[in-house]
Amino acid sequence: MAWTHEQMAARAAQELRDGDYVNLGIGLPTKVVQYVPGDMQVWLQSENGLIGIGPPPFEDEIDPDLIDAAKQTVTMAPGASICSSSMSFAMIRGGHMDLTILGAMQVSEQGDLANWMIPGKMVKGMGGAMDLVGGARRVIVLMEHNTREGGMKILNECSLPLTGRGVVHRIISDLAVMDITEEGLVVKEIAPGVTQETLQERSEPRLVFALD
């Protein structure tokens, strides 16, 4: 049985460390904020200029002027700070983000990431993804293991335009947790009920199993 989106987000939250400055990508990664341990101080940064994103707002807390990079309404944690977008990107480009958790359309066994466009389809731009994968100390991809049609998303080589080459450290999918290493794609955890054979069938690269 595959992990749900909530279980995937909770697993990704285990990657956080006290005092980390973290950027969460659009989509599924935004759920991670709901699973930050209450006794942990993590500074969630949004590239539009907010450092210190709090938990999702209740209905009576919604402020339409307080949004993240995905244009979702957010709250501010105690001690949070607002700055210009240019200052926010300077933090990213300056290497001050300990971690970024992003979605992806494709990831290669070498850690190449494609997550910003599909040729022939209208896109608004690459957003902050290219800056994040180049500036963050650690990059984790949080995504479905396969497409809705069952196609491969974990590949020998990405076929879509790259966001970054050799930038991904860990993949957390609905089926497994995998690390990008010199020895190949190493499986560290598998979702309950998912066999090694099933995982290999749904991944293009040869997998190395070193389960924790």
Side-chain angles (χ1 to χ4, degrees), residues 75-193:
T75 62
M76 293 176 63
S81 167
I82 293 175
C83 65
S84 68
S85 180
S86 59
M87 178 67 75
S88 185
F89 271 94
M91 295 176 193
I92 294 169
R93 293 167 182 164
H96 301 289
M97 290 298 111
D98 297 293
L99 174 68
T100 184
I101 302 176
L102 301 170
M105 292 180 282
Q106 293 179 347
V107 181
S108 80
E109 63 178 335
Q110 295 84 24
D112 302 337
L113 171 67
N115 79 339
W116 75 278
M117 75 166 295
I118 297 175
K121 292 197 174 183
M122 180 83 65
V123 292
K124 296 179 180 178
M126 72 286 293
M130 291 183 181
D131 298 276
L132 285 162
V133 299
R137 296 187 179 98
R138 184 166 164 80
V139 176
I140 293 175
V141 165
L142 183 63
M143 68 173 190
E144 297 279 356
H145 201 91
N146 298 95
T147 67
R148 292 177 182 176
E149 297 76 26
M152 300 286 189
K153 294 177 69 173
I154 299 174
L155 305 166
N156 295 328
E157 298 285 346
C158 295
S159 60
L160 295 174
L162 293 182
T163 307
R165 190 178 295 277
V167 294
V168 178
H169 296 91
R170 170 165 281 190
I171 302 168
I172 300 174
S173 78
D174 55 326
L175 301 184
V177 176
M178 294 164 284
D179 287 342
I180 310 294
T181 75
E182 294 181 357
E183 290 72 37
L185 200 54
V186 178
V187 180
K188 306 297 290 184
E189 301 173 33
I190 302 180

Side-chain angles (χ1 to χ4, degrees), residues 19-109:
D20 274 355
Y21 283 80
V22 180
N23 184 287
L24 301 177
I26 293 171
L28 181 55
T30 61
K31 288 181 175 288
V32 175
V33 67
Q34 302 174 41
Y35 298 97
V36 177
D39 59 351
M40 182 180 291
Q41 179 71 73
V42 175
W43 296 99
L44 299 176
Q45 187 252 20
S46 182
E47 57 262 40
N48 60 325
L50 174 59
I51 303 94
I53 298 174
F58 292 106
E59 190 171 350
D60 61 350
E61 296 178 318
I62 293 175
D63 180 349
D65 292 325
L66 192 60
I67 60 173
D68 62 15
K71 298 182 175 60
Q72 295 177 319
T73 54
V74 296
T75 62
M76 293 176 63
S81 167
I82 293 175
C83 65
S84 68
S85 180
S86 59
M87 178 67 75
S88 185
F89 271 94
M91 295 176 193
I92 294 169
R93 293 167 182 164
H96 301 289
M97 290 298 111
D98 297 293
L99 174 68
T100 184
I101 302 176
L102 301 170
M105 292 180 282
Q106 293 179 347
V107 181
S108 80
E109 63 178 335

